[in-house]
Amino acid sequence: MINKLKKIFKVTSNWHLFIIFLVFGISGSLSVIVSEPIIKLFKINELIDNYILYLTIRILIIFPVYQIVLLFIGTLFGQYRYFLEFEKKMLRRFKKK
């Protein structure tokens, strides 16, 4: 299973795979944390009573925050180039649709 993951993420060592997963984990958690002050800044939680709409807007805010945080955390772990290519590949997929 590890070898399959290494092939999917295009890495050669278990250590590099661990770093990639660590960066994804930290970035995901941090983007959710960082989105909260943005929600409060724009007072979205006060303006919207519908919980489904609130969650939709929050996810739309988290998405670009995640992209920035992913590159930042990836840079801290010395993986800027890897995550920059990951971002480019993901954005290309969105453009096709």
Side-chain angles (χ1 to χ4, degrees):
M1 183 172 154
I2 296 292
N3 288 332
K4 191 173 184 177
L5 287 171
K6 287 178 8 182
K7 189 175 182 181
I8 290 169
F9 287 97
K10 296 178 180 140
V11 297
T12 55
S13 71
N14 291 343
W15 179 249
H16 194 201
L17 186 64
F18 172 76
I19 295 296
I20 288 169
F21 286 160
L22 186 63
V23 170
F24 278 128
I26 292 170
S27 299
S29 301
L30 192 57
S31 63
V32 171
I33 292 168
V34 169
S35 72
E36 186 64 31
I38 295 171
I39 296 283
K40 288 181 180 177
L41 176 70
F42 292 111
K43 299 181 182 179
I44 292 172
N45 51 347
E46 296 173 13
L47 296 172
I48 299 173
D49 291 332
N50 185 333
Y51 188 68
I52 301 294
L53 183 59
Y54 168 79
L55 282 179
T56 303
I57 291 173
R58 181 144 187 200
I59 289 169
L60 291 173
I61 290 171
I62 289 172
F63 183 73
V65 169
Y66 177 75
Q67 307 310 312
I68 295 165
V69 170
L70 183 65
L71 285 175
F72 178 74
I73 300 297
T75 301
L76 291 179
F77 280 87
Q79 299 297 317
Y80 174 78
R81 201 171 290 279
Y82 180 87
F83 286 101
L84 181 63
E85 290 304 316
F86 179 83
E87 293 280 338
K88 288 179 185 177
K89 184 177 173 183
M90 187 171 59
L91 290 174
R92 275 186 242 128
R93 286 182 182 168
F94 279 119
K95 283 184 181 180
K96 287 182 182 180
K97 293 182 180 183

